[in-house]
Amino acid sequence: MSELEQRCTEAGLKMTGQRRVILKVLDSAEDHPSVEDVYDRARKIDESISIATVYRTLSLLDELELVIRHEFQEGYSRYELNSDHHHHLIDLETGKVVEFQNEDLEKLKIKIAHDLGYDLVDHRLELYGKRIKKK
Amino acid sequence: MSELEQRCTEAGLKMTGQRRVILKVLDSAEDHPSVEDVYDRARKIDESISIATVYRTLSLLDELELVIRHEFQEGYSRYELNSDHHHHLIDLETGKVVEFQNEDLEKLKIKIAHDLGYDLVDHRLELYGKRIKKK
DNA sequence: GTAGCTGCAAACTCTTTGCAACTCT
DNA sequence: AGAGTTGCAAAGAGTTTGCAGCTAC
């Protein structure tokens, strides 16, 4: 039983075949798949999975914070496993998503919120850029 | 003719009654109204405006960059006039939106993108927080 | 006069949900 | 056995669009 499956079981979820497949898809994803993506990949393993189950499972995983739901400005959601904290730079020409971390940024965010009289609970930072062309 | 109307005319838009009303609503908004909000406020001035026109007008204004379209994590869009550059902190308890600017942040964003090999074209930063309670 | 704009209703996209059947535990 | 889960299809929310008539220029 994978660590992910274990965490689901601990949270009280029944470990069904469909869930196992979806978790596997997420675990082996190296990108930030949309619901459609997860659905397509899951179907390659088990033809019978329905998209409603994918939606329901992803929602549950989001509630358990095992997964992070992103809404890059595309009109739908993308998901990724919740591991190390990081941000995203979206390549406007290719749609590629580059992950990054920055310590200064983390500190600055907290400071800004604090200066405004708030405790930072959550945040969202996305950069949208174009690759610098080498001459 | 307001400055906003003028900028629309210059961009080649016909200045219809509906557009004038919508621009007025945006111009006098002190918040970040949703499409519904704009629609409701516009209807108070002109009963006959349809929501399709509000959607179409806001899209146009967004293309012209006269307006900024936000998608805070709510499942719909909010708009504001595009004036000075700033970011938003959303109060998780009240939904209130606090605007802020931060020079260090601006520099840092550009630097991060550049270090990753990208020219920063656009970005999105939102903080979600809870007001610090005074004792 | 005519290109562009409007209201209306239908269509679209993404997501959620009611329900009866099924399946983990 | 029974609560939780599933697939299906229908419904929802927000947004877009085709069309015939209207209007600013």
Side-chain angles (χ1 to χ4, degrees), chain A residues 71-121:
Chain A
E71 288 181 6
F72 302 143
Q73 331 223 10
E74 303 169 307
Y76 56 82
S77 302
R78 289 168 176 257
Y79 291 83
E80 70 176 321
L81 289 181
N82 186 1
S83 49
D84 55 314
H85 175 71
H86 59 258
H87 296 288
H88 301 88
L89 184 151
I90 295 98
D91 186 321
L92 287 171
E93 289 164 331
T94 67
K96 186 181 157 206
V97 177
V98 181
E99 302 183 351
F100 67 87
Q101 290 180 280
N102 186 292
E103 203 38 57
D104 291 342
L105 187 60
E106 299 306 311
K107 288 185 197 139
L108 189 51
K109 267 174 352 199
I110 294 167
K111 181 181 184 315
I112 291 171
H114 198 265
D115 288 352
L116 292 170
Y118 284 84
D119 277 328
L120 191 63
V121 173

Side-chain angles (χ1 to χ4, degrees), chain A residues 18-120:
Chain A
Q18 292 90 330
R19 285 185 179 158
R20 238 183 282 272
V21 169
I22 292 170
L23 290 176
K24 180 157 186 219
V25 165
L26 291 172
D27 210 20
S28 53
E30 302 197 342
D31 51 355
H32 302 71
S34 65
V35 176
E36 264 321 294
D37 292 335
V38 175
Y39 176 58
D40 291 344
R41 294 174 201 178
R43 285 210 136 215
K44 292 214 174 118
I45 305 175
D46 175 356
E47 265 285 328
S48 76
I49 288 179
S50 84
I51 196 151
T53 297
V54 177
Y55 271 106
R56 279 190 277 233
T57 303
L58 289 172
S59 290
L60 280 172
L61 296 176
D62 186 33
E63 271 169 45
L64 297 177
E65 301 197 333
L66 292 179
V67 120
I68 297 186
R69 172 188 195 142
H70 293 290
E71 288 181 6
F72 302 143
Q73 331 223 10
E74 303 169 307
Y76 56 82
S77 302
R78 289 168 176 257
Y79 291 83
E80 70 176 321
L81 289 181
N82 186 1
S83 49
D84 55 314
H85 175 71
H86 59 258
H87 296 288
H88 301 88
L89 184 151
I90 295 98
D91 186 321
L92 287 171
E93 289 164 331
T94 67
K96 186 181 157 206
V97 177
V98 181
E99 302 183 351
F100 67 87
Q101 290 180 280
N102 186 292
E103 203 38 57
D104 291 342
L105 187 60
E106 299 306 311
K107 288 185 197 139
L108 189 51
K109 267 174 352 199
I110 294 167
K111 181 181 184 315
I112 291 171
H114 198 265
D115 288 352
L116 292 170
Y118 284 84
D119 277 328
L120 191 63

Side-chain angles (χ1 to χ4, degrees), chain B residues 13 19 55-66:
Chain B
L13 298 193
R19 285 183 179 163
Y55 271 106
R56 279 190 277 234
T57 303
L58 289 172
S59 289
L60 279 171
L61 295 175
D62 186 33
E63 271 170 45
L64 296 177
E65 301 196 334
L66 292 179

